[in-house]
Structure formats: C-alpha cells, structure tokens
Amino acid sequence: MSEKQGLGDTKLNEDQTKTDLENHVKPEAGDAVQRADGQSQLDGHEAPRPTRLYKRRWMIVLLFSSYSLCNSFQWIQYGIINNIFMKFYNVDAFTIDWMSMIYMLTYIPFIFPVTWLLDKKGLRVIALVATALNCAGTWIKVASVRPNLFPVTFLGQFCCSFAQVFILGMPSRIASVWFGSEEVSTACSIGVFGNQLGIAIGFLVPPILVPNVDDMDELAHHISIMFYITAGVATLLFILVVFVFQERPKLPPTQAQATARTIPPEQYSYTASILRLLRNRPFILLIITYGLNVGCFYALGTLLNRMIIDHYPGEEVNAGRIGLTIVIAGMVGSLICGIWLDKTKTYKQTTLAVYFMSLVGMIVYAATLSLGHLWVVFITAGSLGFFMTGYLPLGFEFAVELTYPESEGTSSGLLNCSAQVFGIIFTICQGKIIDHFGTLAGNIFLCVFLLIGTIMTGLIKADLRRQNANMLAKAAGPSDSPSGNLAETSIISEAKF
C-alpha cells in the first residue's frame, strides 16, 4: 500500500469516527469547544484538543467513594443482626430481609429517570441529591428507635435505598470525566471500592454496636448509638459534597472526552441512546451476565447469616466476619483487576477469567460449607469474594468500552438494574430452596446460573470502542503538526489544583 493510500484510509477512518461521535455523544451542560493555541487545519487534519489531568481528581473519586461507603453500609445493617431487629420491632425474618431487598427493588423503577437527570444536570447535582437523601434517611432512622415505629425505620431505609440509585452507576462516569485513559479502570475500581468497604463494615460493625440483650430499653440505646453514628457521618459527607465536589475539570482528561464536549446538547436524545444500547448485542449479553453474577452476590450476602447459622449454631458473630472476609477479599480483587485492565486493556479475557473463577469459587464454597470447620469456610468464602466481588468494576469498564460514546451513567444504570432484578429473584428463590431442601441445594442453584453466565461471557464480542477512539486520536496527532509534536505538547499531564 502506498503512503498516499494509507493517509487516505486514515482520513476516512477519522471522518467516520467524527461522524459517529456527532450522532451519539452528549456533552455536559454548558460545554464549549476548547482548542489548543495555534490550532490549525494542516493536511486536512484537525489538531488534537488540549487535555489535562488535575490532582483534584483523586479528591473527587475518594469523596464519592466515602459517601458510597456510608450508603452501602446501611444495606446490610439490619440483615446481619436480623434476629435482634426481629425481637425489637416484633416482626418476622422475611420482613427484615426486605430491609435489604428494598435497596434492590427501589433501584429498578427509578434508575431511568435518574440517568436522564445525570445526562441533563451532570455529576454535581446527582452527588448532592444522593448525599441529601442518604443524610435524611439516617436521621429518620434516629427517630425510629421504638418497638412500635418499624414503619418509620422502613421509611428511613427507603430514603437510603433511593439515594443508592444516584450512587451505583457513578464510578465509570466519574472515571471517564476526570481520569486519563491509562487510569480509568483504576479510578473506577476505587469508586466501587467504597461500596464494597461499606458492605464490609455493615457485616462487621452492627453485631459489635448492637449486642443481643433482653432488656428492650438497653437494646434501644445500642440501636440508637449505631443510628446516631451513621447520621453524623452522612451529615459530614453531605457538607463536604456541597463545598468540595466539582462537576468536571476545566479541560478534559482524554481526547475521547474532549470530542464529547464539542457536540451540542440538542443532538443528544436519551431515548435514542437507550434504544441504541438495547440494539448493541455484546452489551445485551453483558447486561445479562453482569446481572447473574452480581445477583448471586446479593443473594449470598442477604442469606449468609441463615446459611452459617444452619451449619454452625450460635456463630452469629462469625457469620458477620465471614461476610467481612468475602467483601475485603473482593476489594483486593477489584483493585488488582482495575490496575490489570489499565496495564493490559484485556477486557474480554479478564472478565471471562474472573467470571469462571467466580463459578469455581462458588462450587468450592457450596461443597465445603457443611464440613464443620469454620476456618475452611473463611478460606473458601474469601476466595469466592475475591473473584465474585472483584468482577464489579470489570463489568462497569467493559460496558463503557462496548457502548462508547454513549453516556457511562446510562450503561452502568442498565447493568445495575439487571443486578437488582436478578438479586431479588435469586434471594427469594434461594431462601425458599434453603427452607425446603437445605443450603447445599440453594448454593447449587446459584452455581447453575454462574455457569450460564460464564458461557454467555465467552460469547461477548470485544468491540473496544473507547480504546479505539483514543488510539485513533493519538495516531492522528503526528500528522497534524509540521513538527509532529502538537499531540504531545497539547497534553498537560499533571498539574496543581
């Protein structure tokens, strides 16, 4: 192929990419086209737009991770001591199970209006609403510490579950808006890390703060302490978001984000975006497989206390510690997977490997749960958590790659919606199976769906659109300047606030 022909092919590819982006990408509100000084059209090419990485990006993702932690802690704070709350509020076990499942149920109808709001108003508004709702829910719970006020504590939990809708899909969006192409997966992992750490604390802390005592006044005092601590933390985080959380950096972090900012808002249709995603076959497969994997994790976490107590009576505290082990191991897995993706960009291979190991871990956990040795359960549960929980950021980042240039919030929202649906189905079904056939049958039920998910993951076509867009922008850089260095000099890699 001649040099002239090669340049012509590159030009065609760039024009096609630009056309696709104009048809599908929506910028943040108030965006304007930003160009490097001295930008010009040379040889028919457009010079790369200026990009910059701000140190403030780490503060943004850590603040998000913190309020995500505070919210996810409350998901399991009732379920892990369900016998205590059953006694205090005089309700049955299934009612307490709904204190966890309300997080899943609330997400399903509200995710689509929330992702629409994200596209219209941006990250800061979503962060403010999330922390405000979470803060309100915690203070409602403070007012519910009386045996006849279960509806009030349920209302507080509903507010917190509503806040979760504004939180779960944000890690990939924050990573894309604030972080460079070589660190987006790590940033996404840090965002997911907060959610996982909150669940871990939710397994560990409530049994310590709320001991199983018979005196109802003393029990109310212990519950009140837990609720007041949670409300204080939620209030502090709301104040920090008000004064610290920023919508986006002044300059975009990547060429992909720079291109997204140049498209007028009127060219974007939320409904059309949803329809395009639902016609994206690899993404549809990912929606199903992600829902199967994370739904299994939700069922496992909700019913863990029942499974452990069934084989190890009186080990409520260790049931919480096993849950802690699952999540802590998953946090390590999330960070390792995020760093690995940033280094290798092997999204399909890594996702498939982690999914398969989740299946293996679930089989081993199911087979060893009844052996009578708690230390074995700790090891097998930790191994399961490393892969099953470590899968969470992989699914987010793989979805962004498959759906670029669509909104990250929309793709993440669809993934999480699938997870909530499967989580409710699996929790109810596995609970009934455990009641009638025992824990082994219930865990085999989850293994079957993890096997189906593994096979479907192998069928996903790895169309890495975001990586291709960034590579194309970088490849075009040298031809945009006589010196060949404009693409390099326009990128300011690390700067002060």
Side-chain angles (χ1 to χ4, degrees):
M1 180 184 293
S2 67
E3 181 179 353
K4 182 177 180 180
Q5 183 180 354
L7 290 173
D9 290 343
T10 302
K11 178 73 166 62
L12 288 173
N13 290 335
E14 290 176 6
D15 291 343
Q16 182 61 45
T17 300
K18 182 177 179 182
T19 301
D20 290 342
L21 291 171
E22 289 175 348
N23 288 335
H24 299 296
V25 183
K26 174 202 173 290
E28 302 286 337
D31 273 336
V33 177
Q34 298 185 6
R35 301 180 182 274
D37 292 339
Q39 179 177 346
S40 61
Q41 299 272 338
L42 298 174
D43 298 327
H45 293 283
E46 184 176 304
R49 299 175 181 87
T51 60
R52 181 174 181 175
L53 293 179
Y54 295 82
K55 290 181 180 179
R56 189 184 185 91
R57 69 193 188 280
W58 297 109
M59 182 185 298
I60 297 297
V61 74
L62 288 175
L63 180 56
F64 166 80
S65 187
S66 297
Y67 72 74
S68 177
L69 179 155
C70 182
N71 181 264
S72 63
F73 163 79
Q74 297 173 81
W75 168 58
I76 203 66
Q77 72 175 155
Y78 291 91
I80 197 60
I81 50 174
N82 65 340
N83 56 321
I84 297 175
F85 277 109
M86 286 167 59
K87 177 173 64 177
F88 183 76
Y89 287 114
N90 194 28
V91 295
D92 59 23
F94 189 66
T95 301
I96 298 299
D97 285 345
W98 270 107
M99 299 298 280
S100 297
M101 288 192 289
I102 188 64
Y103 262 63
M104 308 176 205
L105 183 63
T106 305
Y107 192 90
I108 298 169
F110 289 112
I111 181 55
F112 295 107
V114 168
T115 51
W116 174 86
L117 185 65
L118 171 64
D119 289 330
K120 292 296 182 182
K121 299 298 182 180
L123 284 171
R124 177 171 167 81
V125 169
I126 296 299
L128 287 170
V129 174
T131 50
L133 284 170
N134 192 56
C135 183
T138 58
W139 285 108
I140 291 173
K141 291 180 186 179
V142 167
S144 71
V145 189
R146 285 172 54 186
N148 63 329
L149 293 181
F150 179 78
V152 178
T153 205
F154 190 85
L155 174 62
Q157 188 74 343
F158 170 76
C159 286
C160 295
S161 70
F162 192 20
Q164 180 208 216
V165 185
F166 294 82
I167 295 173
L168 274 189
M170 295 306 104
S172 57
R173 179 63 169 259
I174 290 175
S176 294
V177 169
W178 280 91
F179 288 82
S181 59
E182 300 302 317
E183 56 190 15
V184 285
S185 297
T186 302
C188 184
S189 296
I190 294 173
V192 175
F193 183 92
N195 182 274
Q196 295 170 341
L197 182 58
I199 296 172
I201 297 173
F203 277 119
L204 179 66
V205 171
I208 297 173
L209 293 180
V210 186
N212 191 3
V213 296
D214 294 326
D215 184 274
M216 297 301 284
D217 290 335
E218 183 182 355
L219 184 57
H221 173 70
H222 290 302
I223 294 174
S224 181
I225 290 175
M226 179 173 70
F227 285 166
Y228 267 113
I229 292 174
T230 309
V233 172
T235 303
L236 174 62
L237 290 170
F238 173 63
I239 294 172
L240 286 175
V241 168
V242 170
F243 290 102
V244 175
F245 200 92
Q246 186 176 327
E247 171 67 27
R248 65 180 187 187
K250 183 177 180 180
L251 293 176
T254 63
Q255 289 297 321
Q257 276 294 306
T259 303
R261 290 191 179 193
T262 64
I263 309 304
E266 57 269 16
Q267 291 191 14
Y268 175 80
S269 167
Y270 177 70
T271 303
S273 177
I274 293 288
L275 294 176
R276 284 193 298 269
L277 289 176
L278 295 179
R279 290 194 297 265
N280 185 331
R281 292 185 180 180
F283 180 61
I284 292 298
L285 285 174
L286 183 61
I287 288 177
I288 298 171
T289 57
Y290 184 89
L292 291 173
N293 189 298
V294 181
C296 287
F297 169 70
Y298 287 159
L300 184 69
T302 303
L303 301 174
L304 181 64
N305 182 274
R306 291 173 59 182
M307 287 190 282
I308 298 300
I309 298 304
D310 187 60
H311 293 286
Y312 306 92
E315 294 289 352
E316 290 88 354
V317 175
N318 275 323
R321 292 171 179 167
I322 290 171
L324 174 69
T325 303
I326 290 174
V327 180
I328 292 294
M331 290 159 55
V332 175
S334 293
L335 290 177
I336 291 176
C337 289
I339 294 171
W340 173 260
L341 283 185
D342 280 333
K343 297 294 184 182
T344 66
K345 308 299 181 186
T346 54
Y347 290 88
K348 165 72 177 289
Q349 299 90 325
T350 304
T351 301
L352 180 59
V354 171
Y355 213 117
F356 175 74
M357 292 306 299
S358 298
L359 170 62
V360 173
M362 190 68 210
I363 293 173
V364 174
Y365 169 79
T368 58
L369 180 60
S370 60
L371 292 182
H373 303 290
L374 267 175
W375 65 270
V376 175
V377 179
F378 272 94
I379 294 174
T380 57
S383 301
L384 172 62
F386 181 87
F387 294 105
M388 181 174 283
T389 316
Y391 173 80
L392 296 176
L394 290 179
F396 280 150
E397 283 302 295
F398 198 14
V400 175
E401 292 293 334
L402 292 176
T403 61
Y404 179 84
E406 306 294 350
S407 167
E408 298 87 353
T410 306
S411 61
S412 297
L414 288 171
L415 289 184
N416 282 315
C417 187
S418 173
Q420 312 309 316
V421 171
F422 282 112
I424 293 173
I425 295 172
F426 289 168
T427 300
I428 295 175
C429 291
Q430 189 187 19
K432 297 298 182 182
I433 292 173
I434 290 174
D435 289 340
H436 291 87
F437 303 103
T439 57
L440 179 60
N443 287 324
I444 290 175
F445 167 79
L446 296 184
C447 290
V448 170
F449 285 99
L450 285 175
L451 175 60
I452 294 172
T454 303
I455 295 172
M456 293 181 69
T457 299
L459 300 177
I460 297 176
K461 180 182 178 182
D463 181 14
L464 307 182
R465 300 181 179 183
R466 181 175 62 178
Q467 291 303 317
N468 292 338
N470 282 324
M471 290 174 62
L472 183 60
K474 291 180 180 179
S479 64
D480 293 330
S481 170
S483 63
N485 293 324
L486 181 56
E488 297 175 8
T489 58
S490 66
I491 300 176
I492 309 168
S493 60
E494 188 76 39
K496 297 181 179 180
F497 286 92

